[in-house]
Amino acid sequence: MIGETVGNFEIISPLGKGGMGEVWLAQQKTLGTKAAIKILAAGISNNDDQIKRFHNEAIAVSQIPHSGIVKIFDAGKLGDRAYLIMEYLQGETLASRIKRMGRLEMTQLCDFGRQIASVLDATHGAGITHRDLKPENIFLVRDAELMHGERVKVLDFGIAKLDITVGPRMTAASASSIGTPNYMSPEQWHSLAESDWRTDAYA
């Protein structure tokens, strides 16, 4: 992938890889602006209707004016794989912070919680539910303007809506494809149609 062009960006190096796909660091050819490109796994990219809904929601979330939402610059398909070009963040996930430092200070936790709640208030107000809120999807970046010096960015809106099974009932296997079991609300296990903003509050 290194050296390949996606939109007006050239892929420089890998940033990460998971079950949903890969994330690459890229640089805009003309201005040199860096961005992160998420390329979804081929198996997830097979259903055009699902990918269209995913792209539409990603763009919709990106257009909500909130500093805790990652900006999306472009969306499309690279061969048979869907991709998003998004804001490049430097920092670490909340999961990495907890693993590295153990229990966090209460004042820090309260600050992170307040920021996450602010993001969710904005997205829920726009009718969008995350459905996969967890420490791995909370990213921490430096921001000298904030009291504690860090800003929360909520990642991967729309990812949890991929590979939804037909009909309201789900097995444990299908439920795990649209959420993370340890953070899923009871209604999310039972029926995706019943999942709303309260699912995010539970997580």
Side-chain angles (χ1 to χ4, degrees):
M1 292 292 296
I2 294 176
E4 289 192 33
T5 298
V6 180
N8 193 33
F9 289 82
E10 181 179 349
I11 293 177
I12 299 174
S13 62
L15 289 175
K17 185 176 182 179
M20 301 300 295
E22 307 157 357
V23 182
W24 297 83
L25 176 62
Q27 189 170 33
Q28 192 178 33
K29 293 182 177 181
T30 52
L31 300 177
T33 304
K34 290 184 178 179
I37 300 181
K38 180 185 290 290
I39 303 177
L40 299 184
I44 298 173
S45 301
N46 289 338
N47 188 307
D48 288 340
D49 288 337
Q50 288 182 355
I51 294 304
K52 184 177 180 179
R53 287 195 296 270
F54 166 63
H55 282 165
N56 288 345
E57 178 157 315
I59 297 300
V61 170
S62 180
Q63 291 175 348
I64 296 173
H66 197 290
S67 56
I69 296 174
V70 179
K71 295 181 177 66
I72 305 293
F73 302 132
D74 195 11
K77 294 197 77 172
L78 182 65
D80 61 349
R81 300 177 66 184
Y83 69 81
L84 291 177
I85 300 178
M86 64 189 74
E87 176 184 5
Y88 171 52
L89 303 176
Q90 292 181 282
E92 64 180 338
T93 65
L94 180 57
S96 296
R97 175 71 58 85
I98 294 171
K99 183 177 181 180
R100 180 168 60 84
M101 298 185 64
R103 181 176 295 180
L104 304 182
E105 294 290 336
M106 182 59 68
T107 54
Q108 194 174 47
L109 288 174
C110 289
D111 180 48
F112 293 161
R114 179 190 59 78
Q115 292 189 55
I116 294 168
S118 178
V119 172
L120 294 178
D121 181 60
T123 55
H124 293 164
I128 297 170
T129 305
H130 192 289
R131 292 188 177 89
D132 196 21
L133 199 63
K134 56 186 177 181
E136 289 81 359
N137 283 336
I138 305 299
F139 204 87
L140 310 174
V141 298
R142 291 188 178 277
D143 190 332
E145 295 183 0
L146 296 184
M147 181 182 299
H148 296 284
E150 287 186 300
R151 182 174 298 282
V152 163
K153 295 275 190 175
V154 180
L155 309 178
D156 282 352
F157 277 94
I159 288 288
K161 286 191 173 182
L162 297 176
D163 278 346
I164 296 172
T165 54
V166 176
R169 298 291 296 181
M170 296 184 295
T171 64
S174 65
S176 65
S177 70
I178 58 166
T180 302
N182 287 346
Y183 301 95
M184 288 168 59
S185 64
E187 65 269 21
Q188 190 173 0
W189 280 97
H190 174 72
S191 170
L192 184 67
E194 296 176 9
S195 300
D196 56 20
W197 63 268
R198 290 168 292 187
T199 292
D200 289 344
Y202 179 93

